[in-house]
Amino acid sequence: MDMAIAALSVDMNAAKVQQELGISVLKMAMQSDTAAAEEALEVIESLDPNIGNNLDVTA
């Protein structure tokens, strides 16, 4: 009986560690996505707003 409780404790601890690792990886991925989105917005904001307003169709 005591061995079963010890094994259960080890299994529960291992599951907790795996869950914490998964959460950490997810947080890193979310931070990476946020940084990429912020960088894309900076690029978009730095573009000339007049580009594409005129179309020269004379040949």
Side-chain angles (χ1 to χ4, degrees):
M1 180 78 172
D2 290 335
M3 295 297 285
I5 293 173
L8 180 61
S9 175
V10 169
D11 289 344
M12 288 176 60
N13 192 29
K16 180 181 176 186
V17 170
Q18 287 178 340
Q19 182 179 22
E20 289 173 354
L21 177 64
I23 290 170
S24 295
V25 170
L26 181 60
K27 284 181 179 179
M28 288 173 41
M30 289 173 60
Q31 289 172 349
S32 176
D33 288 346
T34 300
E38 288 174 355
E39 187 175 323
L41 286 174
E42 288 176 10
V43 169
I44 291 170
E45 290 172 352
S46 70
L47 295 176
D48 185 4
N50 295 320
I51 292 178
N53 287 341
N54 298 323
L55 178 63
D56 186 6
V57 292
T58 59

